[in-house]
Amino acid sequence: MRARDKRSPYLVLAEYEQRSLAHVAGLPEQLDAPGLWRGVAYRIGSHRLASGFDEVVEILSMPAVTPVPGSQPWMLGVANVRGTLLPVVDLKQFLEGERTVLHEGQRVLVVRQPGGDVAVTIEEMYGQRSFVDAQGIDAAAVTEGRYAYFIDRAYRINDQDWGVFSLERLARTPEFRQAAA
């Protein structure tokens, strides 16, 4: 039987983080290097996107959702997540007008917004990605339609384009905040 660790849970987690960062694939020696940007990477439709760690509160499996009558079609409903009601939004439908095909293993990103958090669906989770300035491309290469308002920079890695999607800007958008039909 192992002896109980007498350190605070915070110190234990901080040590785990340091050990984890020491094994990050890609650029471990440059984690705090100038020109390095890191975020959570995911896909919506055909768009490969990433959002800053500071914009994503949590990543969850798709919770059970209760529909809200009279709401916008992209508003899937509300979910009880550990005693807190979260609105759940189909981000693809909000941006493209096309419903996300929900599947087992579906993930949502929990985003902070004024007045309370909101969960947005994504189609595929890629995890953490790191980009450097040298990989930067013109954001117009990845922006079309409604995406253009939320993406102001982009990167290319191995012939794949990634747009940096502002979840903070999304949460401040009046139309997004008005889920009532």
Side-chain angles (χ1 to χ4, degrees), residues 8-168:
S8 75
Y10 174 80
L11 291 176
V12 172
L13 288 174
E15 180 187 340
Y16 286 155
E17 178 185 36
Q18 288 302 314
R19 287 191 307 195
S20 173
L21 290 175
H23 295 90
V24 171
L27 305 168
E29 70 284 354
Q30 297 180 1
L31 286 177
D32 294 320
L36 177 71
W37 186 88
R38 298 183 324 145
V40 176
Y42 52 93
R43 181 179 59 79
I44 298 173
S46 62
H47 295 85
R48 291 178 185 270
L49 304 169
S51 296
F53 290 130
D54 58 333
E55 295 183 303
V56 178
V57 175
E58 190 172 4
I59 301 166
L60 300 172
S61 295
M62 181 72 170
V65 176
T66 302
V68 176
S71 62
Q72 295 288 349
W74 43 264
M75 174 67 164
L76 297 177
V78 294
N80 182 339
V81 177
R82 293 184 299 281
T84 301
L85 287 181
L86 285 181
V88 180
V89 170
D90 184 338
L91 190 52
K92 181 178 181 184
Q93 190 167 15
F94 177 79
L95 294 167
E96 299 179 15
E98 184 180 322
R99 191 108 179 167
T100 298
V101 177
L102 301 178
H103 56 82
E104 188 177 327
Q106 181 79 42
R107 299 275 187 238
V108 296
L109 302 179
V110 178
V111 179
R112 191 155 325 260
Q113 72 172 1
D117 296 346
V118 62
V120 296
T121 61
I122 58 172
E123 291 189 270
E124 187 174 2
M125 172 60 68
Y126 297 120
Q128 177 180 311
R129 288 291 187 272
S130 299
F131 304 100
V132 293
D133 286 345
Q135 297 165 324
I137 60 171
D138 183 5
V142 298
T143 59
E144 60 184 41
R146 298 187 72 183
Y147 286 87
Y149 180 72
F150 303 104
I151 298 172
D152 53 13
R153 71 183 147 147
Y155 298 95
R156 179 170 290 144
I157 299 177
N158 300 328
D159 295 327
Q160 292 181 337
D161 294 344
W162 296 85
V164 176
F165 189 90
S166 175
L167 292 169
E168 178 186 357

